[in-house]
Structure formats: C-alpha cells, structure tokens
Amino acid sequence: MTRYTDAIDQSLQRLHDEGRYRTFIDIERRQGQFPHAEWTRPDGSRKEITVWCGNDYLGMGQHPEVLAAMHQALDATGAGSGGTRNISGTTVWHRRLEAELADLHRKEAALVFTSAYIANDATLSTLRTIFPGLIIYSDALNHASMIEGVRRGGGEKRIFRHNDVAHLRELLSRDDPAAPKLIAFESIYSMDGDFGPIRDICDLAEEFDALTYIDEVHAVGMYGPRGAGVAERDGQMHRIDIINGTLAKAYGVFGGYIAASARMVDAVRSYAPGFIFTTSLPPAVAAGAAASVRFLKGEGGQALRVQHQTQARILKTRLKGMGLPIIDHGSHIVPVHVGNPVHCKMLSDMLLEDHGIYVQPINFPTVPRGTERLRFTPSPVHGPQEIDRLVRAMDALWAQCALNRAEAVA
C-alpha cells in the first residue's frame, strides 16, 4: 500500500506547495442572526464572525415562513422521502414545489433534483438520448456541472469564447443546418459576476433552429419582477427552452431543478439516470423551498431584491473608492482581484482571525491561475456596521500586505 499512500501524499503536497489547498471552516449559523455566526477554531475555541461569502443571498434560509413550512411538513411526514421519485419518493410536497417553479418561470412543468449540479449534469447528458446527433454549443466559462453534463453525454460539442456571440454564430454556421442543436450558457457567471447576452443568443437560436438552455443559478430569486431570473428581467424567459435553477442559494434551502415544456420535462424524467436513481428531497426541504419561492414572488421578495442590489452597490462603491481592484459587471457579486493563491489565502486567514470576517479564497481550478480573488456576497442583512467593518479591514490589510491598488476592473 506504500505506493498508494505516497501518491496520495504527493498529490496533497502539490496543493499545499501551490498555495491552493482548501480548508473547511467550521461555522455555526444562528437562527435570526444571519449573517453573524460562530467559528470553531481547530483548537476548539470559538469566535464571533460575519459571513461574507455565503450563497444564501437574501437570508431566506432563516426566514420565518420557510422555517414554519419545514416544521409543518416535518411534523406531518417525518424526516426522509423514503425512496426515489419513481418508488414511493413523490409526495404532495414535491408536486407543490414543482408547481411553484413552473409558475415562477411561466413554463408548463418543472422537475426537482437533489442539486442544481445534478440537474445540469443529468439533463445535459440525457438530451443526446432524446435528440440523437445533438450538437451542444457551450460557453467557455460554463459551470463545471454543465461541462460535465456535456462531456458525459458524448457526441459533438462546440465551445464558444465567453459571451462571444460572433464566435457562436461562426460555429453554428459551420454545422449541418439539419443537425439538432442546443446552446448552453449562464445568465450570471458567478466568479466575475458578468451577465450572459441572453437576447442575442436567443436571436441566434431562432436563426439556426437551436434549443436554448440557461443556468440561472445565481439569479433566481434575485432578478426579475417575481425573482425568476435575468431572463425574466430582460423579457426573454419565453424564448428559453430549458431553465436550470437552484433552491440552495437565494431561496435558502436545498435542491435544484429544471423548468421547461411538459414534453421536455417528461422526457428528461423518463431517461435521466441522475433523476431516476436518486432518492428524492426530504418533504420538509421541498416544503421550505416552495414557501421560499412563493414568498419571493411577492412584494416582500421585491423589497429584498431592491435592498440586495443597494447593499452590493454600496460595497462596490466603497471598495472602489479605496482603489481596490474590483471586478464589476453590475451584478450582486463583488470579486476583489488578488492574483496570487498564497496571498489570497493569507488575506482570507487574516480577515477571519484578526477581523472576524469570513470570506473564502477563490483559487484554481475554480478560476484561472493568476486571477485568484476574494469573492464577497453582500445581502440585505449586511448592514452599515458590517460593511464599515469589512471596508476598514480590507483597507488595513491591503496596506499591511503592500498590495497594489488599481482602478476597478470592468
């Protein structure tokens, strides 16, 4: 076994040597006090911290209506679903959630998976079974789950340069007009916070008779009049054939889904191994997610969305004012470019230990080498005091570490 343990040790050491070994931070969220939490250090001591890198973008993970719905379902049905969706794991709670999601996206149907990663992987890998000879055109910066789904499905694929509609047109024009086609892209790319050109891609899809597949994971709940995402905000949702979303970010619960025509959903449901052979979400989780989706469709949700964008603008403006290299594409995501994995990890550690601010370093392979960053995700409940504390800490550490200050990165 020595050669195997040696190989494991060497592979882990490479990560340490490159400064990109990832560590878990043990935190305990406190109901009603988000974004504040408690960090348990490796020595067992505890420290009050503020979470600045969470994906519970709107704080819905602790919303009273969500918790009440989960308690009700838990008391009514117990903990687990008891099976896959095909074998005893479909309940009234799953049906209600899928009805809420279909209504959210103005589609005929929706299908819930255990995560948005699985929803992307299972759906994209299955589409070639449904459409033999399908050519998939995938944005170069698509999420790993989309890349994996395209890869596992086999068949022809084309990678177009990120958000480069001209390059996409060039690729589409080269292929047989009779071949089935699908364009897969995202509405918000989470590492830079930039938007996909939805309208232009839909125009190309119509011109070349291609299906459209959009990942709205970092947008559902937060954009559009009812929180259906950027496609809703831009009036393009009706032009998208398959919408992928998550219940684990702005909705604050767990799970993923697709929304599409009833025929499309039925076909994916019937063929995708990632759906067929996976135990369904616990009913309490489905109930909480449905309550969150329902709440964020209404006026309360719109108020949270406005507050969310306001807090993001305030933080970006203040960090830019200090000359920090912000990547700003107008979304709610606030990346600060560091450009070195060792420095990025060091800044993260110092923010946590010295200032009680928790933000994870983002290193390769999540982002390309040389683009390492700290990625802040402000929420409506990050108030003036939390923002002040973060801004002062970043200013002090940037000076202490003698890092360059620069104009904002667009």
Side-chain angles (χ1 to χ4, degrees), residues 116-138:
Y117 186 108
I118 297 298
N120 270 335
D121 184 6
T123 303
L124 287 168
S125 64
T126 298
L127 288 176
R128 287 199 174 99
T129 302
I130 302 169
F131 306 108
L134 179 71
I135 303 172
I136 297 181
Y137 303 79
S138 180

Side-chain angles (χ1 to χ4, degrees), residues 47-288:
K47 181 181 178 67
E48 298 287 330
I49 63 169
T50 302
V51 178
W52 272 99
C53 58
N55 286 335
D56 187 356
Y57 289 127
L58 302 177
M60 291 299 294
Q62 299 187 33
H63 193 279
E65 292 190 24
V66 174
L67 300 184
M70 295 185 73
H71 280 296
Q72 179 187 5
L74 181 65
D75 292 340
T77 68
S81 68
T84 66
R85 289 291 296 274
N86 291 318
I87 305 176
S88 81
T90 295
T91 70
V92 64
W93 310 101
H94 297 89
R95 291 296 194 190
R96 288 172 183 171
L97 173 56
E98 287 172 343
E100 287 286 357
L101 293 168
D103 173 75
L104 173 69
H105 292 292
R106 306 299 192 194
K107 299 297 184 186
E108 292 177 342
L111 190 66
V112 171
F113 293 78
T114 50
S115 73
Y117 186 108
I118 297 298
N120 270 335
D121 184 6
T123 303
L124 287 168
S125 64
T126 298
L127 288 176
R128 287 199 174 99
T129 302
I130 302 169
F131 306 108
L134 179 71
I135 303 172
I136 297 181
Y137 303 79
S138 180
D139 188 285
L141 294 189
N142 274 344
H143 189 265
S145 59
M146 301 175 77
I147 294 170
E148 182 65 12
V150 172
R151 184 194 67 79
R152 285 202 315 107
E156 295 292 324
K157 66 176 182 293
R158 313 282 185 256
I159 310 301
F160 61 94
R161 290 185 293 269
H162 177 53
N163 279 351
D164 190 333
V165 178
H167 187 219
L168 174 57
R169 168 183 284 281
E170 180 183 333
L171 295 175
L172 285 162
S173 64
R174 290 177 184 172
D175 286 318
D176 182 356
K181 302 173 178 66
L182 178 137
I183 305 170
F185 64 109
E186 299 185 36
S187 64
I188 297 179
Y189 292 84
S190 63
M191 289 301 108
D192 284 348
D194 56 331
F195 294 92
I198 300 175
R199 185 185 301 273
D200 292 340
I201 287 178
C202 288
D203 288 346
L204 280 182
E206 289 182 3
E207 180 179 346
F208 288 92
D209 192 24
L211 296 169
T212 48
Y213 184 107
I214 193 169
D215 180 311
E216 288 258 33
V217 161
H218 289 273
V220 289
M222 296 175 288
Y223 293 83
R226 301 198 310 155
V230 180
E232 181 192 36
R233 183 198 69 177
D234 294 351
Q236 302 299 302
M237 194 163 59
H238 64 288
R239 305 178 73 191
I240 302 293
D241 293 294
I242 305 174
I243 297 172
N244 169 276
T246 185
L247 303 165
K249 292 183 169 61
Y251 292 119
V253 190
F254 186 74
Y257 64 89
I258 61 167
S261 69
R263 282 189 178 88
M264 183 73 78
V265 166
D266 194 24
V268 173
R269 177 191 70 83
S270 300
Y271 281 99
F275 177 82
I276 295 170
F277 298 106
T278 300
T279 299
S280 64
L281 291 180
V285 171

Side-chain angles (χ1 to χ4, degrees), residues 2-21:
T2 302
R3 61 172 175 165
Y4 297 108
T5 56
D6 287 348
I8 293 171
D9 291 342
Q10 290 168 13
S11 66
L12 291 173
Q13 189 59 47
R14 283 197 300 272
L15 296 177
H16 284 286
D17 292 343
E18 294 173 12
R20 58 187 187 92
Y21 178 78

